[in-house]
């Protein structure tokens, strides 16, 4: 069995977990340790994944997270343990952690503000048998990973095939205006900023598109003329859209690479994820997943 440790905000960890397991061709059942939510429920997961939600009340206490993780790992025998994004855990809770000695540890790395994140690390990072670099990383980040990974390889993720239910299908009438999407699972304030960007862009282009927000929730303040769909994943909608507005999270940027010509993005500040560096790389044309 596989234990996938994916604690963190947003839906990025969940999406990345499914893509990594699919890309590497792992067939074993996966316990997906997570703290993210989808519209107060779980996002659609294949039967291969067994969600294990960390209690909200321990989310800021590294000692309590360590105790919870120890108990979770003791429930079953895991042949592989995969740590997503944060090599020492979101709170630094994995430093000096006593992982089962016979388990293969794997880390998948995306861009971090390493100077901010490393300040949380007290003790040794886990010893990883394999590290995967999912996008360009800064030198200090790579130096730290090189010291704790037996090997590091670049990896281009591919999402698993998805057969959307009828309620999630994309219905586009040829007589309708062009479809513009706003794709975001973040805060109300960020959704409204993206909606304003889309509306301003429409005004500048002197067009009246059909605006649709794809998000777990519809903010009460969202303009009435913007439709809302609660769908996951959003990828089946991308091909039929004329414009797509989003933030600069790793998975969204990755999934929208084939549609870069219609992707309009707005980076938002994050404690560890550097969306502004990712946005700069996109504008320069040198962002590459591998």
């Amino acid at each position: 069995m596989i234990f996938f440790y994916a604690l963190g905000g947003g839906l990025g960890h969940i999406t990345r977990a499914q893509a990594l397991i699919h890309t590497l061709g792992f067939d074993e059942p996966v316990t997906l340790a997570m703290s993210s939510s989808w519209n107060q429920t779980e996002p659609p997961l294949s039967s291969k994944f067994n969600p294990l939600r960390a209690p909200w009340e321990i989310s800021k206490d590294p000692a309590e997270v360590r105790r919870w993780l120890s108990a979770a790992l003791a429930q079953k025998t895991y042949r592989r343990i995969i740590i997503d994004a944060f090599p020492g855990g979101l709170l630094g809770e994995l430093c000096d952690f006593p992982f089962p000695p016979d388990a293969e540890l794997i880390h998948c790395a995306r861009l971090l503000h390493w100077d901010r994140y490393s300040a949380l690390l007290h003790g040794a990072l886990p010893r990883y048998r394999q590290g995967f670099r999912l996008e360009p990383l800064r030198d200090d980040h790579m130096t730290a990973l090189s010291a704790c990974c037996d090997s590091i390889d670049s990896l281009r993720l591919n999402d698993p095939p998805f057969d959307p239910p009828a309620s999630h299908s994309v219905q586009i009438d040829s007589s309708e205006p062009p479809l513009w999407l706003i794709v975001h699972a973040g805060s109300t304030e960020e959704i409204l900023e993206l909606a304003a960007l889309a509306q301003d862009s429409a005004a500048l282009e002197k067009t009246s598109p059909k605006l649709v927000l794809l998000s777990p929730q519809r903010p009460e303040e969202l303009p009435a003329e913007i439709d809302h769909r609660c769908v996951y994943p959003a990828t089946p909608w991308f091909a039929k859209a004329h414009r797509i507005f989003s933030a600069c999270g790793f998975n969204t940027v990755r999934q929208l690479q084939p549609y870069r010509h219609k992707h309009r993005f707005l980076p938002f500040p994050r404690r560890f994820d550097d969306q502004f560096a990712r946005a700069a790389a996109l504008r320069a044309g040198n962002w590459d997943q591998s």
Side-chain angles (χ1 to χ4, degrees):
M1 293 188 67
I2 297 173
F3 189 90
F4 201 114
Y5 191 67
L7 271 58
L11 296 173
H13 304 281
I14 298 170
T15 301
R16 195 160 41 248
Q18 296 181 89
L20 185 77
I21 295 298
H22 173 70
T23 301
L24 296 178
F26 292 157
D27 292 327
E28 306 99 310
V30 180
T31 296
L32 179 58
M34 52 187 279
S35 53
S36 303
S37 63
W38 168 257
N39 199 25
Q40 308 307 316
T41 61
E42 306 295 353
L45 294 168
S46 75
S47 58
K48 181 185 297 185
F49 287 84
N50 176 39
L52 177 65
R53 185 173 298 283
W56 177 85
E57 58 270 18
I58 71 170
S59 62
K60 295 184 180 180
D61 187 335
E64 286 298 319
V65 174
R66 284 170 63 90
R67 280 190 281 271
W68 175 83
L69 177 58
S70 293
L73 290 174
Q75 297 301 309
K76 298 176 182 177
T77 299
Y78 292 102
R79 189 161 65 94
R80 292 188 178 100
I81 299 175
I82 303 175
I83 309 299
D84 180 62
F86 306 105
L90 182 61
L91 306 173
E93 71 275 11
L94 302 185
C95 292
D96 295 326
F97 186 85
F99 284 103
D102 52 349
E104 177 187 18
L105 265 63
I106 299 172
H107 173 58
C108 52
R110 62 152 174 78
L111 182 66
L112 294 176
H113 285 287
W114 188 257
D115 55 341
R116 300 179 188 174
Y117 176 67
S118 61
L120 293 177
L121 304 178
H122 303 289
L125 289 171
R127 188 69 205 175
Y128 292 102
R129 174 68 181 84
Q130 177 68 62
F132 290 112
R133 183 180 67 89
L134 305 183
E135 66 177 327
L137 306 178
R138 291 192 176 87
D139 290 344
D140 53 358
H141 190 171
M142 278 299 298
T143 297
L145 293 185
S146 297
C148 69
C149 296
D150 291 346
S151 65
I152 301 175
D153 295 309
S154 296
L155 184 68
R156 181 181 295 274
L157 293 184
N158 295 299
D159 294 302
F162 176 71
D163 185 16
S167 60
H168 288 195
S169 62
V170 187
Q171 304 291 339
I172 302 294
D173 191 315
S174 59
S175 64
E176 290 184 337
L179 173 64
W180 285 21
L181 297 178
I182 303 161
V183 182
H184 197 51
S187 67
T188 291
E189 292 74 18
E190 292 177 353
I191 289 173
L192 295 179
E193 281 194 54
L194 287 169
L197 174 62
Q199 290 180 311
D200 289 347
S201 298
L204 286 171
E205 296 184 32
K206 296 182 171 58
T207 187
S208 299
K210 177 180 180 179
L211 288 170
V212 178
L213 168 67
L214 304 184
S215 180
Q217 290 91 21
R218 178 189 178 100
E220 291 183 3
E221 303 89 339
L222 192 72
E225 63 270 21
I226 299 179
D227 195 6
H228 169 249
R229 297 291 295 273
C230 177
V231 296
Y232 177 91
T235 47
W237 289 66
F238 293 166
K240 296 188 177 182
H242 289 71
R243 292 278 190 281
I244 304 170
F245 297 83
S246 80
C248 273
F250 167 78
N251 284 292
T252 304
V253 167
R254 171 180 66 83
Q255 292 173 333
L256 283 170
Q257 278 299 93
Y259 310 102
R260 179 66 190 87
H261 58 289
K262 54 187 177 184
H263 184 200
R264 307 293 182 267
F265 49 86
L266 182 63
F268 290 112
R270 295 288 185 264
R271 185 182 183 187
F272 296 133
D273 183 27
D274 193 344
Q275 292 198 5
F276 290 89
R278 195 174 289 119
L282 277 177
R283 294 190 187 98
N286 56 17
W287 186 87
D288 192 300
Q289 190 190 330
S290 60

